[in-house]
Amino acid sequence: MSYLLKKEIPVEDGYDMVVCGGGMGGATAAITAARLGLKVLIVEHTGCLGGMGTSGLVCAFDPMADGEKPVVGGLMQEIVKTLYERKKLGPEITPEDYLKNYLTWIPFDPEALKILLDELCVKAGVEIRYFTRVIDADAQDGKVKGVVINNVEGTKYIAAKTFVDATGDAVLSKLCGAKYREAGADTEEIMPATLTGLMAGIDWEQFNKTQYATPCHEQIERAYNDGVLSQCDRHLVGIFRIGENTGYMNTGHIFNLNSVNTRSLSDGMIQGRRQLNEYLEFYKRYHKGFDKAQIVATGTLMGVRESRRIVGEYELTADDYFARRQFPDQIGVFSKYIDIHPKDTSKESYKEFCDTMEGSKLKKGECYGIPYGITVPKGFENLWVSGRCNSSDISMHGAVRVMPAAAMMGQGVGTAAYLSIKSGKPATKINTAKLVELLRENGAILPQQQLSETMTKNS
Ligand SMILES: Cc1cc2nc3c(=O)[nH]c(=O)nc-3n(C[C@H](O)[C@H](O)[C@H](O)COP(=O)(O)OP(=O)(O)OC[C@H]3O[C@@H](n4cnc5c(N)ncnc54)[C@H](O)[C@@H]3O)c2cc1C
């Protein structure tokens, strides 16, 4: 059965860019474009920016340095530096951790990130529309004319010159008819999701002294056998310190969750909240420092690691990763390893995860490039993606799906859209040497020596 929805809706016009989704990928795209003088609207389904980092309570940025020097600069570094100056990173974090140290995660206070992203958007002149969802798109022959949004006021059509899909799930790209790949479909397995939470009342000194007394997977096996944990999930990411006595819990996995199916998502939220309480009990029972601990919040967005990835003008692959390939048109470099969580609770799957991680770690001082083409849906003139739904193969996605990479893509596409409007050229034809130069002027770390006026594409 189907129902034909036919109604006239008001049209708003006059924007240079509409960004759909306000996670790290979207917020950075909007701030960058507005700083360059574009009139930008950001449309976000929740009531804050930051996406997974705030509504999702994933409160740690992945490593931003390669053991010798920073690899992530620009707007992302500015955000982290400001949080540090405001004393809103984990109390043990120093600037060396994001400017130099090897494989060091940067925990942060999610409320501080919400405030900072609001401030940066307002200051740059970005118009924010919270509690608003993009529900349709008007696109033809690779050109997007407008998006349809819905909120408490009703439904509206927003016309603009350029569009950024930063929904994580490639919602806008799909609505525009762009090609994409979907985890769980065909031969691809879905990486498990995790609902994360915040814990207060932790005595960190006690915990730090004892947490590695027993290997983590042995603790999990014991807790499972004691009936404290309902699944024997050996991969425990853990708790990250974000304040004096608070921590962010990245504990447990929801296997086979399909984030582009709302029934699966809803079941996952129920399972995730239950799991978090099991892990509270786990920490209380087997670790010191948790006598007074309690869960004070759980994510309002499910912690989805992968769903849809667009088919872009370039697809970043594991071969590129292992070659540490540098691209003339890269918009960022990164040094995160291939991080693909176990697909189930078996020992074999856990071993496969550990082997992939260990086998793919870069040496200190090494990095690989993130080329511009992974942000351009194939054949589209004025649509870009930023963040998790980028064009990469499943292995490579395990490395570049994280927040600093999303923010570098955001700065890249915000700049690319500006150059596209200024030059009157489509996304695929902008001068990528100019793109790199402008990104460098704005603090991006782009070590490639050769530049090229044309983008790197798959044939
Ligand atoms: C459990 C877990 C742990 C992780 N750990 C880390 C870590 O330690 N370090 C790290 O750097 N990264 C980590 N990641 C990865 C990282 O959090 C995400 O991949 C990254 O934040 C993706 O950013 P994004 O901007 O692409 O998407 P998101 O952060 O998902 O933002 C997408 C935004 O779009 C909005 N949206 C979606 N659809 C619509 C629509 N139709 N209309 C309007 N708005 C819409 C959503 O509300 C959301 O705010 C982790 C992820 C998970 C799930």
Side-chain angles (χ1 to χ4, degrees), residues 234 342 346-357:
R234 290 168 182 81
S346 66
K347 278 188 178 158
E348 295 71 30
S349 200
Y350 179 61
K351 185 173 179 313
E352 196 182 330
F353 154 74
C354 295
D355 291 348
T356 308
M357 177 174 65

Side-chain angles (χ1 to χ4, degrees), residues 20-27 43-46 48-53 55 58-63 105 132-135 166-169 171-172 175 192-196 237 240 248 250 301-305 336 341 386-389 401-406:
C20 303
M24 288 306 286
V43 177
E44 167 53 44
H45 158 61
T46 66
C48 64
L49 299 173
M52 213 43 82
S55 305
V58 171
C59 309
F61 296 124
D62 258 65
W105 268 252
T132 304
R133 233 184 139 78
V134 173
I135 57 163
T167 58
D169 293 327
V171 174
L172 176 61
L175 290 170
T194 299
L195 186 69
T196 60
V237 181
F240 293 71
Y248 126 69
N250 186 342
L301 287 178
M302 171 52 77
V304 173
R305 292 192 171 82
K336 163 88 192 255
H341 288 222
S386 175
R388 184 162 61 80
C389 49
R401 64 189 168 81
V402 294
M403 288 183 273

Side-chain angles (χ1 to χ4, degrees), residues 438-451:
L438 191 48
L439 283 167
R440 282 178 176 159
E441 268 173 43
N442 290 309
I445 297 170
L446 299 170
Q448 66 266 40
Q449 287 172 359
Q450 297 283 323
L451 300 191

